[in-house]
Amino acid sequence: MEMFKLIPACKDYLWGGNRLATEYGIKYDGDILAEAWLLSCHKDGCSVIEGGEYNGKTLPELIELIGSDFLGANCKGLQDFPILIKFIDAKKPLSIQVHPDDEYALEHENQLGKTEMWYVLDAKEGAFLYQGFSHEIGREEFKERIEDNTLEEVLNKVYVKKGDVLFIPPRTLHAIGEGILIAEIQQNSNVTYRIYDYGRVGADGKPRQLHIKESLDVTELTRPEAFSSGAEHLVSCNFFDVDHVDVSDGNTYESVADERSFVSIIAIEGNSVITCRGKSIELKKGESLFVPAASGDFEISGNAQFLITRIPDKIK
């Protein structure tokens, strides 16, 4: 099975900038490019195959055409494609929000909840995000602070820099702050409950919808547990395993796409060549490559950095 370079789905949310186009080479005609969905089978925006026999097909169309075996044994029995990987350019702060867990999301939204991780690609000096609460509060205080616009006073503020890694379990209140560029690896879900949105209005001139009842239902009202990431192996959870790889100074990275899982390779810096089964594909900053399960050994050479994601054995 050949490797597939992917064209991302693009989103022009009002808080976005244009760095994904100007610095990461993602092709987009609009003025705002808030998100690029680099690996996606979600109905709200699918990745598209670039080049080769299946040029122009979406990733779901490819799965339909050639079958799901190339996703790997760890994806057997799953109703949906397991993950979504995106770049996020927060020129302005995102809404304060929360994602439900699977149980709540399946009951109320007919799709999965969202566990996610963030890798900070870049951050301006003094940039911060919110992750949970500075201390445990009660449901009534949570509700009152939403109503009187004092919620930010009790949130856990986290200052970030390039290379930082955060893990965001479902039910964790969070918000990406201004001036942060992030790579996000998440469950394949687009369920977001907005709690507070700074009074902003959408393209229709009306305030963007808030989801207060749902947020009260699902938000964990505590300070999140501390998370520690390794320098190379960043995150392991039930839904994804993520590594950071740095190839430079004549070094190469050698690994394998075995029968258990496909491999997603996202270039976050530099230029490289990925070789598998005698075929080579050039990959530069901002590009995404899908290596099917059971493709065997592959090698990365060049001068670049990557996020490499697999589906773990323990996926539910």
Side-chain angles (χ1 to χ4, degrees):
M1 181 67 67
E2 63 180 301
M3 301 179 289
F4 300 98
K5 188 180 284 191
L6 302 177
I7 300 170
C10 296
K11 303 294 180 180
D12 64 348
Y13 305 135
L14 56 81
W15 41 261
N18 59 12
R19 295 181 64 187
L20 298 181
T22 59
E23 297 179 27
Y24 285 77
I26 294 171
K27 296 179 175 61
Y28 185 67
D29 293 333
D31 295 327
I32 295 176
L33 178 51
E35 294 185 357
W37 293 14
L38 299 157
L39 174 66
S40 173
C41 283
H42 198 280
K43 61 183 177 61
D44 293 341
C46 296
S47 305
V48 174
I49 309 301
E50 180 181 11
E53 179 182 356
Y54 300 101
N55 182 58
K57 299 289 186 184
T58 67
L59 193 50
E61 288 172 339
L62 179 65
I63 296 170
E64 184 71 23
L65 282 170
I66 66 177
S68 60
D69 286 349
F70 82 132
L71 301 181
N74 292 347
C75 297
K76 290 286 188 182
L78 298 181
Q79 183 175 348
D80 299 309
F81 189 80
I83 59 172
L84 194 162
I85 300 178
K86 61 177 72 168
F87 284 164
I88 298 173
D89 176 12
K91 183 177 182 180
K92 301 174 183 177
L94 276 67
S95 61
I96 297 172
Q97 57 190 244
V98 66
H99 306 303
D101 59 20
D102 287 349
E103 182 180 3
Y104 189 95
L106 286 168
E107 180 181 351
H108 294 86
E109 307 292 347
N110 197 32
Q111 60 176 302
L112 293 172
K114 188 192 290 190
T115 296
E116 61 189 351
M117 65 149 285
W118 294 337
Y119 180 90
V120 179
L121 298 167
D122 197 16
K124 72 176 187 179
E125 186 175 355
F128 66 89
L129 49 81
Y130 291 128
Q131 183 184 19
F133 293 82
S134 58
H135 60 278
E136 185 171 354
I137 67 170
R139 190 175 189 274
E140 282 305 310
E141 180 181 354
F142 183 36
K143 184 173 183 292
E144 290 172 2
R145 286 186 176 278
I146 293 172
E147 292 172 348
D148 64 18
N149 295 325
T150 62
L151 183 60
E152 289 177 276
E153 294 177 6
V154 293
L155 298 187
N156 179 39
K157 182 184 287 189
V158 181
Y159 290 91
V160 294
K161 64 184 183 307
K162 184 175 182 177
D164 284 348
V165 179
L166 295 98
F167 184 68
I168 314 291
R171 301 166 60 89
T172 302
L173 176 150
H174 59 278
I176 302 172
E178 176 183 332
I180 303 175
L181 204 63
I182 275 177
E184 177 176 291
I185 295 93
Q186 58 163 88
Q187 281 180 271
N188 185 19
S189 172
N190 202 27
V191 179
T192 297
Y193 297 144
R194 290 194 199 101
I195 302 168
Y196 178 68
D197 195 40
Y198 312 98
R200 293 183 291 205
V201 298
D204 59 2
K206 299 178 181 179
R208 297 206 298 169
Q209 182 181 5
L210 301 179
H211 310 89
I212 304 306
K213 177 188 179 302
E214 294 87 347
S215 299
L216 290 169
D217 285 345
V218 306
T219 304
E220 198 76 53
L221 302 176
T222 58
R223 186 180 180 94
E225 294 183 8
F227 172 76
S228 179
S229 168
E232 295 182 359
H233 186 64
L234 302 183
V235 169
S236 289
C237 70
N238 285 342
F239 308 103
F240 44 77
D241 283 328
V242 184
D243 294 303
H244 174 266
V245 171
D246 188 344
V247 176
S248 59
D249 299 327
N251 296 323
T252 59
Y253 172 79
E254 297 178 356
S255 190
V256 61
D258 62 26
E259 70 282 351
R260 293 177 298 168
S261 173
F262 65 85
V263 179
S264 165
I265 303 175
I266 306 293
I268 59 174
E269 293 285 355
N271 298 286
S272 63
V273 175
I274 293 90
T275 302
C276 182
R277 292 189 174 184
K279 181 177 180 180
S280 296
I281 292 181
E282 294 183 3
L283 204 68
K284 61 179 183 292
K285 180 178 177 178
E287 293 187 327
S288 169
L289 190 70
F290 183 96
V291 184
S295 291
D297 296 338
F298 65 89
E299 179 183 273
I300 304 177
S301 59
N303 190 359
Q305 295 182 36
F306 307 88
L307 297 178
I308 296 183
T309 304
R310 293 174 169 87
I311 304 306
D313 296 341
K314 54 187 175 292
I315 190 168
K316 295 178 180 179

